[in-house]
Amino acid sequence: MRLRKTLTALGIMMGMALVSYQGFAADATFPSDWKTWKPVTTAVSQIGGLPGCDADVSGLPPIYQETVATYCAIRPEGPGKAQVLVKPDSLDAYKTRSGKYAKGENFILHLSELKVLFVTGHQGGAPVYGVYTEDGKNITTPTGPLSTKTCITCHSGFTAFCNNGQCGRVMK
Ligand code: HEC
C-alpha cells in the first residue's frame, strides 16, 4: 500500500516534470490566428524552402549557409517547403525593416511540410522566440536547433544581416 502511494506520487511528479519540459522556455507565445497572417516573398520562399544537407549552398550569404547547416538534418531531404508569414498589423514594419516592432508575436517562419511554426515576437522592444506545431503545441527544447538559444545566436549574431530579430527581407 505504501509502495503504491510512493509510486503514484513519483508518477505524478514525473508527469509534472514532463509537462514543464514540454513548455520549456518558449519566450514567444503561440499566435492562434496565424492562418490569417500574410505570406511575403523572401529568399527562402523564392528558393522554395530549406534544402537537405547535400545541397550546394556555397553561393548563398553565410547566414543562409548556417541556417541550412543547422536545420538540414531534421529529416533526410531537409525541412522542405517554408514561407514567411507576417502579422497583418506588422506588415509595414517588416517591409521597411524598421526594427520597431509591436509588442507580441510578429513573424513566423512556417515549415509547412513539417507543420512547424518558428515564431518571433517582441517584448520590451527586444526579440523573443518559440517553436510550435501548427495546432499550438510548444515544441521548444532546452538545447539544440529548436532552442531559443539557437534562434538568438543566429538572429542576434548576424548583426549586419538581421535587425532587431528580423533576418529576412521582401524580395521582388
Ligand atoms: C543559423 C541561422 C538561423 C537560426 C539558427 C534561426 N534562424 Fe530564423 N531566420 C534565419 C534567416 C536567414 C531568415 C530569413 C529567411 C528568409 O529569407 O526569409 C530567418 C527567418 C526567420 C523568421 C521570419 C522573419 C524574419 O526574421 O525574417 C522567423 C519568425 C524566424 N526566423 C524564427 C526563428 C526561430 C524561432 C528560430 C529558433 C528556433 C530561428 N529562427 C533560428 C536564420 C536563422
Side-chain angles (χ1 to χ4, degrees):
M1 187 63 192
R2 219 195 187 151
L3 180 69
R4 208 162 135 190
K5 265 193 186 158
T6 313
L7 282 177
T8 309
L10 209 69
I12 290 169
M13 272 159 62
M14 278 167 65
M16 277 162 56
L18 210 70
V19 168
S20 56
Y21 171 77
Q22 280 187 346
F24 186 85
D27 301 319
T29 55
F30 174 66
S32 54
D33 62 347
W34 68 271
K35 284 185 183 155
T36 66
W37 290 23
K38 304 292 173 210
V40 287
T41 306
T42 68
V44 157
S45 65
Q46 275 186 342
I47 298 166
L50 294 172
C53 299
D54 53 2
D56 177 11
V57 291
S58 56
L60 298 180
I63 186 172
Y64 284 94
Q65 297 185 29
E66 178 92 12
T67 306
V68 172
T70 308
Y71 295 108
C72 68
I74 280 179
R75 54 175 194 172
E77 64 271 46
K81 266 191 150 185
Q83 50 276 127
V84 174
L85 305 174
V86 180
K87 186 167 76 182
D89 289 350
S90 302
L91 257 183
D92 282 346
Y94 178 88
K95 285 184 178 163
T96 57
R97 293 170 63 80
S98 73
K100 294 190 176 59
Y101 305 118
K103 186 166 179 272
E105 284 52 60
N106 289 310
F107 315 128
I108 293 171
L109 182 70
H110 180 203
L111 302 175
S112 47
E113 279 176 45
L114 297 175
K115 301 187 190 302
V116 167
L117 307 177
F118 280 18
V119 181
T120 302
H122 291 83
Q123 296 295 340
V128 290
Y129 304 93
V131 186
Y132 292 91
T133 60
E134 285 182 348
D135 50 9
K137 190 171 161 237
N138 179 5
I139 52 167
T140 314
T141 53
T143 54
L146 301 186
S147 72
T148 56
K149 277 184 225 149
T150 301
C151 320
I152 293 165
T153 304
C154 192
H155 276 249
S156 293
F158 285 84
T159 44
F161 201 91
C162 307
N163 186 16
N164 202 13
Q166 178 181 349
C167 294
R169 62 195 68 222
V170 172
M171 314 281 278
K172 278 278 155 13

